[in-house]
Amino acid sequence: MSKGKETRETILRAALDFASKLGFESLSIGELAKRVGMSKSGLFGHFNSKEKLQMMVIDYAADNFTEHVFIPAISKERGIPRILAIVETWHRWSSRYFTGGCPLVAAAFEYDDRPGAVRDHLTEHQKTMLNSFEKAAQIAVDEGQFDKDLDCNAFAFEFLSLMLGYHLYSRLLQDDDAKFRHLEAVDSLIERSKAKDYKETSHQ
Amino acid sequence: MSKGKETRETILRAALDFASKLGFESLSIGELAKRVGMSKSGLFGHFNSKEKLQMMVIDYAADNFTEHVFIPAISKERGIPRILAIVETWHRWSSRYFTGGCPLVAAAFEYDDRPGAVRDHLTEHQKTMLNSFEKAAQIAVDEGQFDKDLDCNAFAFEFLSLMLGYHLYSRLLQDDDAKFRHLEAVDSLIERSKAKDYKETSHQ
DNA sequence: TATTTTTCAGCACGGTCGTTCCTCTATTAT
DNA sequence: ATAATAGAGGAACGACCGTGCTGAAAAATA
């Protein structure tokens, strides 16, 4: 990896952690430069605009999500185990790498009404993510685990909603039971999505 | 109402709408002064610090929520009708008065990891709100509508989660079906919270 | 090793930020 | 009606913002 790419990675990493805490808009070039130990102009040279920096941070977050949340989960068996794995890898990723919890959740609410290129960019990522959840549910349907009449779109809506709830409970409210609550709710969601005959044959 | 209180109201109203769109931290004294047509220093004099302004905006939002969401819902019959009314009044309030959707949702995610007085202040409001949802569920239990073994805390978690999902779908994703999805999910939550005998006696 | 390209620091710019102080006017209370 | 008070504007502050320019050091290429 060339020197340029390396420092850019360092910057993006620091920027993402910062943004997970205080938001992407609060991210300032000067503050970020201080954190990674370089000059404002030196750092700026890598991105040529703040907006471009923000978008690259978002891209970096999305790539990171794919790498640490989605890919590991896909190695699990198709259907329910894979869906449960997503919850687990997502929890782990958010808490291990970021001081402020999942940066994609933070970004989503920060840009939900702020017009511009960053928002458009982010929206695409979110749609992709939701599509993945929907597909994961569809696979469970195909495998005969979920009811064949299940509305996978509705499943994705509830699945994401619960993650948002978890984020709020664990971050803002600092609720120690947040993870437990989340897992219970996900279990409930999965249980009521199950096909009748699968429910009968499945243990517990 | 004295002159001072009146202008303060005007300011808070404008500030809240602005914050629902672009966030409470992006709210600047100068920009706000421009919006309400007065001088920076004149506006500043009402609050004496930006932090105090932010907190007063949050208080204003919470009061507004109580007035437009909670109070109207309480006039409905105890139990399920009241819970459904909260969803409806919340939808109406968010979409009618704010360009950027529910400001309390926005604030929650903006301050979830930003230490300070504003965050502490907001946390209290959120806890009060969640407590109200929990109580509303408890009433449904007492009325024999919800199962007596229902975990009202878990109910509140899911209830709020779905609202967050709705916010994200309708604001960021601009999904026209967001409201429908939300209502369906709330119906599902209520349905599975019902007491067995109430389920049998209730129509549909 | 010599040359070209990339990377980064230093400095300066116009703007906006929150905030203070001072003045004047409009409102309120006596 | 008059005195006390509260409300609002004007100018200025130091700090920080994003952004360009220039030149030197470092890295990549030959």
Side-chain angles (χ1 to χ4, degrees):
Chain A
M1 184 154 51
S2 73
K3 183 84 195 326
K5 273 225 174 307
E6 206 167 315
T7 37
R8 211 171 305 150
E9 273 260 342
T10 308
I11 295 168
L12 290 175
R13 182 69 195 75
L16 194 52
D17 183 59
F18 181 96
S20 81
K21 264 183 297 188
L22 301 179
F24 290 77
E25 286 294 317
S26 297
L27 190 58
S28 86
I29 312 270
E31 173 65 26
L32 189 52
K34 224 176 282 173
R35 295 211 173 204
V36 299
M38 59 189 295
S39 71
K40 251 174 60 167
S41 58
L43 190 148
F44 183 81
H46 282 275
F47 306 98
N48 297 313
S49 85
K50 189 185 179 181
E51 195 180 49
K52 219 163 262 172
L53 163 65
Q54 288 168 325
M55 287 199 286
M56 288 186 68
V57 177
I58 302 262
D59 284 340
Y60 183 76
D63 290 349
N64 227 254
F65 179 85
T66 303
E67 183 187 342
H68 289 99
V69 176
F70 218 73
I71 301 283
I74 275 191
S75 73
K76 295 287 166 107
E77 309 137 62
R78 294 160 58 83
I80 296 175
R82 193 172 289 179
I83 293 172
L84 286 170
I86 291 177
V87 178
E88 198 176 312
T89 52
W90 201 346
H91 277 164
R92 203 197 322 278
W93 179 64
S94 307
S95 60
R96 176 168 302 175
Y97 294 102
F98 306 104
T99 323
C102 178
L104 289 175
V105 170
F109 281 92
E110 187 166 359
Y111 287 102
D112 62 352
D113 288 289
R114 182 183 286 271
V118 181
R119 190 207 131 105
D120 299 341
H121 211 64
L122 179 66
T123 307
E124 287 314 304
H125 283 306
Q126 293 282 340
K127 281 183 180 166
T128 306
M129 197 174 81
L130 276 169
N131 230 288
S132 303
F133 298 156
E134 208 178 320
K135 266 182 202 155
Q138 185 58 51
I139 288 175
V141 171
D142 296 342
E143 294 288 315
Q145 299 170 7
F146 280 176
D147 194 288
K148 66 181 188 329
D149 290 330
L150 177 74
D151 182 346
C152 292
N153 215 306
F155 180 91
F157 173 81
E158 292 202 40
F159 186 79
L160 178 63
S161 293
L162 294 176
M163 191 66 201
L164 301 180
Y166 163 72
H167 186 103
L168 196 136
Y169 267 64
S170 71
R171 313 292 333 164
L172 181 71
L173 304 177
Q174 310 247 49
D175 187 337
D176 292 332
D177 299 334
K179 190 171 171 181
F180 171 76
R181 286 240 164 282
H182 184 204
L183 291 176
E184 283 234 314
V186 170
D187 276 346
S188 155
L189 171 60
I190 287 178
E191 200 56 41
R192 87 188 99 104
S193 302
K194 278 182 182 171
K196 277 201 192 93
D197 56 339
Y198 182 81
K199 218 178 280 191
E200 284 152 10
T201 60
S202 80
H203 37 81
Q204 192 194 16
Chain B
M1 184 155 51
S2 71
K3 182 88 191 326
K5 273 226 176 307
E6 205 166 316
T7 38
R8 210 171 306 149
E9 273 258 346
T10 308
I11 295 168
L12 290 175
R13 182 67 196 77
L16 193 51
D17 183 59
F18 181 96
S20 80
K21 263 184 298 189
L22 301 178
F24 290 77
E25 285 296 317
S26 297
L27 190 58
S28 86
I29 312 271
E31 172 66 24
L32 189 52
K34 223 175 284 172
R35 295 211 173 204
V36 298
M38 59 188 294
S39 71
K40 250 174 62 166
S41 58
L43 190 149
F44 184 83
H46 283 275
F47 307 99
N48 297 313
S49 84
K50 188 183 179 180
E51 196 181 48
K52 219 161 265 173
L53 164 64
Q54 289 168 326
M55 287 199 287
M56 288 186 67
V57 177
I58 302 263
D59 284 339
Y60 183 75
D63 290 349
N64 228 252
F65 179 86
T66 303
E67 182 186 344
H68 289 100
V69 177
F70 218 72
I71 300 282
I74 275 190
S75 72
K76 295 285 166 114
E77 306 137 64
R78 295 162 57 84
I80 296 176
R82 194 173 289 179
I83 294 172
L84 286 171
I86 292 178
V87 178
E88 198 177 311
T89 51
W90 201 344
H91 277 164
R92 203 196 324 276
W93 180 62
S94 308
S95 61
R96 176 168 302 174
Y97 294 103
F98 306 103
T99 324
C102 179
L104 289 174
V105 170
F109 281 92
E110 186 166 0
Y111 287 102
D112 62 352
D113 287 289
R114 180 184 287 271
V118 182
R119 188 207 131 104
D120 299 341
H121 211 65
L122 180 65
T123 306
E124 288 313 306
H125 282 307
Q126 293 282 338
K127 281 181 180 167
T128 305
M129 198 173 81
L130 277 169
N131 230 287
S132 303
F133 298 155
E134 209 179 319
K135 265 182 204 157
Q138 185 59 51
I139 288 175
V141 171
D142 296 342
E143 295 288 317
Q145 298 168 8
F146 279 177
D147 193 289
K148 67 180 188 331
D149 290 330
L150 177 74
D151 182 344
C152 292
N153 215 306
F155 179 92
F157 173 82
E158 292 202 40
F159 186 79
L160 179 62
S161 293
L162 294 176
M163 192 67 201
L164 301 180
Y166 163 73
H167 186 104
L168 196 136
Y169 267 63
S170 70
R171 314 295 328 167
L172 181 72
L173 305 178
Q174 309 246 50
D175 187 337
D176 293 331
D177 299 335
K179 192 172 171 180
F180 172 75
R181 287 238 163 282
H182 184 204
L183 292 177
E184 283 236 313
V186 170
D187 277 346
S188 154
L189 171 61
I190 287 178
E191 201 55 41
R192 86 188 101 105
S193 302
K194 279 183 181 169
K196 276 200 193 90
D197 56 339
Y198 182 80
K199 215 178 283 189
E200 283 153 10
T201 60
S202 80
H203 36 83
Q204 191 194 20

